[in-house]
Amino acid sequence: MALVEINFDGIIGPSHNYAGLSPGNIASANNAGAVSQPRAAALQGIEKMRANLRLGLAQGFFMPLDRPNRAWLAALATDMGHADPHIRAAAFSASAMWAANAATVSPAPDAQDGKCHLSAANLLTMAHRSHEWTGTLAQLRLAFADQRHFAVHGPVPPPFGDEGAANFMRLCPSHGEAGLEIFVYGKAGGPFPARQHIESSKAIARAHRLDPERTLFIQQSEAAIAAGAFHNDVVAVANERVLFTHEQAFEDPEAAYAAIKAKMPEAEIVVVPADRVSLADAVQSYLFNAQLVTLPSGEMALILPTEAQANPHVWGWLEEHVAGNGPIRRLVPVDVRQSMANGGGPACLRLRVVADPATIDQRFIADEGKLDRMAEMIAVHWPDAIAPDQLGDPGLIEQVQRARLALLETCGLSELA
C-alpha cells in the first residue's frame, strides 16, 4: 500500500461572511463588518487546489456544511428570524472551510493497530465553530469509511477544547514511515483564550493508540497567542524531517527543540529569529500558516499567501533561506485573500491525511475535471457579496442553501444534504 500525503481543502461555503466572530484572530477582528465575496473566495480556493495538483501533489476536498445551522438554533430555542445578531451570525458561519480544524490525523505507521486515526475536533472555545463537529464527523465517516484502513473518532467531550490539526505537527523520515507526533497546547494568551487543552491532546493520543515514546506535548507561547497566533499553525509548520518555526512559537523553545532532537535526531529545525521577523509580521503575513510540502522531485516547497510576498521582512528572510542551503527550496505564493481577510491562510484551508488514495471514497479526491465542474457551479450559484446586515435575509438564506445542494449534487454527495 503506497502511503502519500493528501491535502483535503475545505470548499469555501456560500455563507462566507465577515462577522468578526473569533476573538484572538486579528484578521477576523480587523475585517468585522466588511462586505465579503463568497464566489471569489470559493474560486480562489479551487485555484489553490488546482495549483497543488499541477505541482504533482495529491489533493482532496470537503463540502461546506449546512448553513444556517437550524438544528443548533432550535437547541437554543430560537431561529434565524428571532435570534440575537451574534447567535444568527454564529449559525451562518462558513468557518468549516478551514479544514485544518476539522480533525487530528495520525497516519497508520504511527498507530499500534496499523490504522489511520482521525478524531473530529470539538472546537468548543468559539460558539460559531462549536456546532461544526456533527457535519464534519459525517463527512469523515463517509470519506474514510473503510474500517480496514481507518478509525474515525468523535470529538473529545467538554470542557476540554480541541482545535484539530491546527495545533498538531508530525515529523518523520518520509510520510509513509513512522513519525514523531507533536501536540501543541495552550495555557493562557493574555487578552485572548488559549484554544487547545492539554487534556484533549492526551485523550486523542490515547484514542489513536500512539507510542508514548514517539509522542510529545509542547506548550504554545503565551506571547504568540497574545500576538494573534490563535493556533500553533500561525507560528510553526512541520513536514517530514523539517520543523519551520518562529523563535517565539513555544513557551520554552530550547526545551522543545531538545525534546524533539532526543526522539528524532535527524529532525532539522529551522528557526526564524524575532529580530528578523517579528510576531506581528508573522501574524500579518501568515508566513507559517503555509503548506510546507514535499514535491515529487523530493524538494520541499512552501505554499504561502501573497501577503507574505508583500511583507519585506518576511520575503527578505525567505529569499535568503532559499538562496542558502536551507531545506525549503521553492516559494509558491497563492492568492487566498478572501480567506486571509477572515483569518485563515493556505494551511488553515487544508487537513493533511497520509493514506493510500485508493482506500478513500473517491468522491472526495480532486482532479482537474472535478475542479472545473465545481468552479462552473460556484460561478453560477454562490452569492457575489454578503454584507453583515444581510445574514437574516430569507432570500440570501435560500440562495446559500440552494448553492450548497447544487455543489453536493455536482460531486455526487447528495447524501450529505
Side-chain angles (χ1 to χ4, degrees):
M1 181 171 64
L3 301 182
V4 299
E5 180 180 79
I6 310 163
N7 286 280
F8 285 82
D9 280 37
I11 304 294
I12 298 175
S15 68
H16 165 66
N17 70 93
Y18 297 139
L21 297 173
S22 189
N25 184 328
I26 303 299
S28 172
N30 287 346
N31 289 290
V35 175
S36 67
Q37 296 177 290
R39 185 183 306 156
L43 292 175
Q44 286 171 3
I46 294 289
E47 287 308 306
K48 178 174 95 72
M49 288 193 282
R50 195 188 306 279
N52 282 358
L53 284 176
R54 292 175 179 174
L55 287 171
L57 302 172
Q59 182 69 55
F61 52 84
F62 293 129
M63 294 288 101
L65 303 185
D66 187 19
R67 294 294 178 263
N69 188 338
R70 289 193 168 98
W72 184 67
L73 289 170
L76 293 170
T78 189
D79 56 34
M80 285 295 280
H82 298 90
D84 291 335
H86 67 286
I87 296 296
R88 182 187 302 133
F92 204 67
S93 172
S95 54
M97 64 199 241
W98 295 307
N101 302 116
T104 303
V105 183
S106 295
D110 296 354
Q112 293 174 352
D113 61 358
K115 295 182 180 183
C116 176
H117 287 253
L118 305 95
S119 286
N122 60 34
L123 297 167
L124 59 79
T125 306
M126 297 291 159
H128 68 292
R129 306 212 64 178
S130 66
H131 56 94
E132 286 178 18
W133 69 265
T134 53
T136 297
L137 185 59
Q139 292 199 65
L140 295 176
R141 286 180 169 161
L142 188 60
F144 307 103
D146 189 338
Q147 295 182 17
R148 296 170 299 172
H149 302 289
F150 300 101
V152 178
H153 307 274
V156 174
F160 307 117
D162 170 40
E163 300 277 317
N167 288 307
F168 172 84
M169 299 180 295
R170 180 175 185 257
L171 293 168
C172 53
S174 67
H175 291 306
E177 298 179 70
L180 172 63
E181 300 208 1
I182 303 170
F183 295 82
V184 183
Y185 65 92
K187 285 188 176 179
F192 303 131
R195 302 191 187 185
Q196 185 72 29
H197 199 288
I198 190 171
E199 295 300 341
S200 293
S201 297
K202 289 180 176 179
I204 291 166
R206 291 191 295 268
H208 290 195
R209 303 186 66 177
L210 301 181
D211 179 355
E213 293 302 313
R214 304 289 294 173
T215 308
L216 283 176
F217 302 92
I218 296 176
Q219 185 184 346
Q220 187 178 2
S221 162
E222 294 183 8
I225 298 172
F230 53 102
H231 293 135
N232 177 68
D233 67 3
V234 178
V235 283
V237 61
N239 180 61
E240 294 190 328
R241 71 185 188 283
V242 175
L243 170 61
F244 179 50
T245 179
H246 191 272
E247 180 183 9
Q248 295 172 287
F250 308 115
E251 188 64 21
D252 187 343
E254 294 307 319
Y257 305 153
I260 290 168
K261 284 287 194 177
K263 293 185 180 295
M264 188 175 170
E266 67 271 36
E268 188 170 356
I269 301 172
V270 179
V271 180
V272 179
D275 63 1
R276 291 291 308 277
V277 176
S278 67
L279 276 174
D281 281 330
V283 171
Q284 178 275 326
S285 67
Y286 271 24
L287 161 62
F288 299 95
N289 196 252
Q291 293 178 248
L292 184 58
V293 298
T294 303
L295 301 176
S297 65
E299 288 186 326
M300 286 200 192
L302 193 67
I303 300 166
L304 71 175
T306 51
E307 284 81 353
Q309 192 174 23
N311 184 304
H313 298 127
V314 168
W315 200 250
W317 188 93
L318 284 169
E319 288 188 316
E320 286 182 23
H321 177 86
V322 172
N325 294 318
I328 301 170
R329 306 313 311 150
R330 286 184 62 182
L331 304 175
V332 184
V334 294
D335 179 5
V336 287
R337 293 181 186 277
Q338 282 288 311
S339 176
M340 286 286 289
N342 221 352
C348 282
L349 286 164
R350 62 93 174 95
L351 181 70
R352 306 164 86 168
V353 179
V354 172
D356 178 353
T359 63
I360 297 167
D361 189 319
Q362 294 301 293
R363 292 175 293 178
F364 292 90
I365 299 296
D367 59 36
E368 292 267 10
K370 286 183 185 178
L371 295 182
D372 288 343
R373 292 190 292 275
M374 285 193 280
E376 291 169 3
M377 192 281 311
I378 287 166
V380 172
H381 291 281
W382 256 231
D384 178 59
I386 296 178
D389 61 3
Q390 290 181 270
L391 300 190
D393 176 43
L396 175 64
I397 292 171
E398 183 181 355
Q399 181 183 5
V400 163
Q401 295 193 314
R402 280 201 318 267
R404 176 176 176 268
L405 291 175
L407 179 63
L408 292 176
E409 184 176 354
T410 295
C411 296
L413 288 164
S414 295
E415 66 229 71
L416 291 171

